[in-house]
Amino acid sequence: MSEIAFATLAELAEGLAQGRYSSVELTRHFLDRIAQANPALGAFVSVDSAGALRLAEAADARRRAGYGLLGPLDGVPVAVKDLCDIQGQITTAGSEAWRERRSGVTATAVARLLNAGMVMLGKTHMVEFAFGGWGTNPVMGTPRNPWDLQQPRVPGGSSSGSGVAVAAGLTPAALGSDTGGSVRIPAALNGVTGLKTSRGRISLHGAVALSTTLDTLGPLTRDARDAMLLTALMAGPDAQDPLTLGIPAFQYREPAHGAQPLRGVRIALMPLSQHPIAVDADALSALDDARRVLAALGAEVTETPLPFDFREMMQRNGQIIAAEAYAVHRGYIEDSAQPIGQYVRARVLSGKGLSAADYIAALQAHAQARRDWLDWMSDFDAVLTPSAPFGARRLEEVDEAATPLAAFTRAGNYVNASGLALPAGFTADGLPLGVQLLGKPNDEGVLGKIGMAFQAVTDWHRQRPDLKAVGL
């Protein structure tokens, strides 16, 4: 069972089909790892061991009885970010103030995973109210980046626990949310794959909102194929979320066979002069390595000036987030008696001063940017950038007033791009680095094809942290 913890969803499903282990054995394996390592890593805020084992027993019973599978991942474990409601369970959204908030509904995305037979391990930790890219949570505790167990480093946020849990082999996959990079940043800093879906691709019903204009849900997984498998289970229209209605059906295809499976794929490389922030040398080296791999696979990778200012779009995206976060939390955010973190409180309150006229103007600019992106992307399948400008910083180095980790990711939310973060190397200190592919809205399948081809000839996504210090 030693390799199970770092197997892909597809590999685990194959193992179940071949009878190498049962769903109960698989589930116990991950529950044991969580019990051993979570006290040090803080990736999970709650674990439903009894419920997970009941779901696993049901999956095994279905298989024994020959009733057929509920889905291709029937019996495979998964975890979800603690802003997804599960009826009867606590959903904190990362806030100590919400320790007693019991959900009255189950999020559509979670329900679809359960209806497909997946085994829910528990809820992963997060930045309070999903508002922060470093991954810190000074009130409820910051998940520990597993790639350095000697000195605490940031896990990336806001889906911090999801990134840590997948990287440490506590779950084979986890659901996150992305409003300004909250799937892609922790994916990059933890050395896993993260998919930012387009608006409406996955229902937001039952997910605590940060920004009603920008929020999306997406998976953090071992590889791009797993991201496609999970998205296929969650995607589709939902009457309880009108954004999902009229969205093209989700489809993905395996890369073509042969030495150059990406022949015909057009990828724009953002020029260094247009980077919205200075990028560390090792992150630039990882970007160049990724470019060479993609070109060798047959993709046409062209350094192309972009008619978009990522720094400006990062700021505009942040303005919308702050205004809408204040609208969500205005009833209690200024109550000093509430145990809300000072930095998140300040971020939410920064939206208070935005006038109605300025907010409407911001939404109009956002709509125009989406149209401009769709028009410009008619010549390309993806844009290649760093996922983050550097690897995981030490926790003591964090400036909560700065947002450097979102420099390349927020623009993707602003233009409603699909986005895929791929492991692409390591710093000199052995910390993961990643690259980002941004595509057209609803083009997750195209990005998945590129990602699968990329990961078929690289092994960055197969590397794992040394976890001996936490007993694994």
Side-chain angles (χ1 to χ4, degrees), residues 277-309:
I277 191 173
V279 177
D280 281 4
D282 46 13
L284 289 176
S285 179
L287 180 67
D288 194 50
D289 287 344
R291 177 195 61 78
R292 286 199 296 270
V293 170
L294 291 167
L297 289 168
E300 180 184 338
V301 185
T302 308
E303 184 173 302
T304 307
L306 275 63
F308 303 98
D309 185 332

Side-chain angles (χ1 to χ4, degrees), residues 296-358:
L297 289 168
E300 180 184 338
V301 185
T302 308
E303 184 173 302
T304 307
L306 275 63
F308 303 98
D309 185 332
F310 270 43
R311 182 174 181 82
E312 179 187 3
M313 291 197 295
M314 178 185 76
Q315 294 167 341
R316 288 180 177 273
N317 196 79
Q319 186 180 44
I320 294 173
I321 294 173
E324 296 184 345
Y326 178 72
V328 171
H329 301 292
R330 64 187 182 277
Y332 41 81
I333 196 66
E334 295 183 84
D335 182 356
S336 60
Q338 295 293 318
I340 296 171
Q342 61 172 316
Y343 304 115
V344 167
R345 192 191 299 269
R347 289 179 203 130
V348 174
L349 284 173
S350 70
K352 182 179 180 180
L354 192 71
S355 71
D358 287 341

Side-chain angles (χ1 to χ4, degrees), residues 8 191-193 222-224 422-424 426 454-464:
T8 66
V192 301
T193 302
R222 301 240 162 270
D223 64 13
L422 298 167
F426 293 89
F454 181 84
Q455 291 179 333
V457 296
T458 61
D459 68 353
W460 293 305
H461 64 293
R462 296 190 184 95
Q463 304 306 307
R464 60 186 71 172

Side-chain angles (χ1 to χ4, degrees), residues 6-13 73 76-77 113 118 166 171-174 193 195 219-234 250 252 254 420 448 452 455 461:
F6 295 94
T8 66
L9 295 172
E11 289 166 346
L12 294 176
L73 300 178
V76 179
L113 296 178
M118 297 199 76
V166 176
T171 179
T193 302
L195 179 66
L220 291 96
T221 56
R222 301 240 162 270
D223 64 13
R225 180 174 286 101
D226 280 1
M228 297 297 104
L229 290 171
L230 274 188
T231 301
L233 295 182
M234 295 184 287
F250 174 71
Y252 74 94
E254 297 285 330
L420 182 65
M452 284 187 278
Q455 291 179 333
H461 64 293

Side-chain angles (χ1 to χ4, degrees), residues 248-271:
F250 174 71
Q251 296 180 7
Y252 74 94
R253 295 178 181 174
E254 297 285 330
H257 296 293
Q260 292 195 318
L262 298 183
R263 183 175 294 278
V265 171
R266 299 164 299 171
I267 299 175
L269 176 66
M270 176 187 280

Side-chain angles (χ1 to χ4, degrees), residues 25 101 142 145 150 169 219 227 239 244 262 280 291 325 358 372 399 451 465:
E25 289 173 322
R101 179 188 178 276
T142 297
N145 190 309
Q150 303 305 311
T244 64
L262 298 183
D280 281 4
R291 177 195 61 78
D358 287 341
D372 292 344
D399 177 2

Side-chain angles (χ1 to χ4, degrees), residues 198 201 370 373-374 377 415-418 439-444:
S198 311
R201 172 61 73 201
R370 297 199 314 270
W373 177 261
L374 191 59
M377 284 293 290
V415 298
N416 191 32
S418 49
K440 302 179 186 70
N442 306 312
D443 249 9
E444 295 88 353

